[in-house]
C-alpha cells in the first residue's frame, strides 16, 4: 500500500506535496534530473556527471521503505516534480544519511530547508540517532541550510574535498 501525499509549506509560504517514490516513478525522476544543474548533480551524487544513469534512477525509486526512503516533491497542483529527498539508514538505525536535490527553477523558496526538516522528522519516527550528510566543501548553500537546522560540520575522514554534516535526532524539536 502506498503512503499518501503530504502537504508541506515552507517558511516562505510555498506549498508543495511530498510522497515516497515508487517503481513506476522512474520516468518522472529521470525527467526531473534534466532540470537540475550540473553542479547540483555533482553535489547530490558526489561525482561529475552530465546525466543520471538508469541504475541510479532505479536506486531512487525501488527502495525498501524501511531503511531507505526517497521522497519526491511536487508542485501544489502535482504537475511538476521539484525535488527529491532520500533518507538511507544503517540496519541498526544508528545513522541516517540524507541527500536532497532541487530543480534549478525552484530554488530560493525554502524547499530544501523544509525537506530537510521533513527527513529529520521521519528519521526521528524511525528512532535514528544521528542524521548526517556528506557534502562537497563547495556546496555552501546546503551547508548553510544544515547549519541553520543545528547540524555540525566536520572534515570528512580521508577526503579533504568533503565535509560530514551531522545532527543528533532523538525526538528533538526541529528549529522553527
Amino acid at each position: 500500500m502506498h503512503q499518501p501525499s503530504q502537504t508541506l509549506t515552507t517558511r516562505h509560504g510555498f506549498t508543495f506535496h511530498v510522497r515516497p517514490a515508487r517503481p513506476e516513478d522512474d520516468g518522472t525522476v529521470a525527467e526531473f534530473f534534466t532540470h537540475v544543474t550540473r553542479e547540483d548533480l555533482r553535489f547530490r551524487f558526489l561525482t561529475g556527471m552530465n546525466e543520471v544513469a538508469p541504475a541510479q534512477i532505479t536506486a531512487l525509486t525501488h527502495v525498501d521503505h524501511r531503511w531507505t526512503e526517497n521522497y519526491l516533491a511536487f508542485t501544489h497542483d502535482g504537475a511538476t516534480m521539484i525535488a527529491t529527498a532520500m533518507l538511507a539508514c544503517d540496519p541498526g538505525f544508528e545513522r541516517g544519511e540524507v541527500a536532497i536535490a532541487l530543480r534549478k527553477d525552484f530554488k530560493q523558496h525554502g524547499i530544501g530547508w523544509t525537506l530537510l526538516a521533513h527527513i529529520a522528522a521521519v528519521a526521528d519516527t524511525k528512532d535514528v540517532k544521528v542524521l548526517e550528510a556528506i557534502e562537497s566543501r563547495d556546496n555552501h548553500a546546503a551547508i548553510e541550510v544544515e547549519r541553520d537546522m543545528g547540524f555540525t560540520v566536520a572534515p570528512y575522514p580521508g577526503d579533504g574535498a568533503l565535509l560530514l554534516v551531522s545532527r543528533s535526532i532523538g525526538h528533538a524539536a526541529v528549529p522553527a
Side-chain angles (χ1 to χ4, degrees), residues 17 28 31 73-82 103 106:
H17 300 288
T28 301
E31 197 275 334
F74 294 88
T75 52
H76 187 63
D77 64 4
T80 305
M81 184 178 160
I82 59 174
R103 190 177 153 125
F106 281 88

Side-chain angles (χ1 to χ4, degrees), residues 110-133:
I111 297 165
W113 198 99
T114 302
L115 283 172
L116 185 56
H118 181 69
I119 291 292
V122 169
D124 190 28
T125 66
K126 292 178 177 284
D127 292 326
V128 171
K129 310 285 185 290
V130 177
L131 188 60
E132 58 191 19

Side-chain angles (χ1 to χ4, degrees), residues 2-169:
H2 296 304
Q3 293 179 11
S5 174
Q6 291 180 271
T7 301
L8 301 178
T9 302
T10 70
R11 298 185 291 178
H12 302 291
F14 184 84
T15 301
F16 62 99
H17 300 288
V18 296
R19 66 164 174 77
R22 304 184 286 248
E24 59 267 25
D25 291 321
D26 285 352
T28 301
V29 174
E31 197 275 334
F32 159 77
F33 278 113
T34 68
H35 300 282
V36 174
T37 68
R38 214 182 224 177
E39 180 179 56
D40 286 342
L41 285 176
R42 181 173 61 87
F43 291 156
R44 170 58 181 85
F45 295 99
L46 298 176
T47 186
M49 61 174 53
N50 293 324
E51 63 182 45
V52 181
Q56 291 166 306
I57 298 296
T58 299
L60 295 172
T61 56
H62 296 70
V63 297
D64 61 45
H65 303 289
R66 180 173 180 193
W67 291 285
T68 303
E69 191 64 81
N70 189 37
Y71 289 92
L72 307 183
F74 294 88
T75 52
H76 187 63
D77 64 4
T80 305
M81 184 178 160
I82 59 174
T84 175
M86 178 170 259
L87 172 65
C89 302
D90 66 17
F93 295 99
E94 295 297 316
R95 299 190 174 290
E97 184 180 341
V98 62
I100 296 173
L102 298 174
R103 190 177 153 125
K104 62 187 169 195
D105 50 341
F106 281 88
K107 290 184 167 193
Q108 307 302 318
H109 293 286
I111 297 165
W113 198 99
T114 302
L115 283 172
L116 185 56
H118 181 69
I119 291 292
V122 169
D124 190 28
T125 66
K126 292 178 177 284
D127 292 326
V128 171
K129 310 285 185 290
V130 177
L131 188 60
E132 58 191 19
I134 301 168
E135 300 289 2
S136 164
R137 285 185 179 274
D138 297 333
N139 196 352
H140 303 290
I143 294 165
E144 185 60 33
V145 166
E146 291 156 342
R147 279 189 169 134
D148 186 42
M149 292 195 65
F151 284 70
T152 58
V153 180
Y156 187 80
D159 191 331
L162 300 176
L163 296 170
L164 181 62
V165 185
S166 62
R167 184 180 115 195
S168 295
I169 299 292

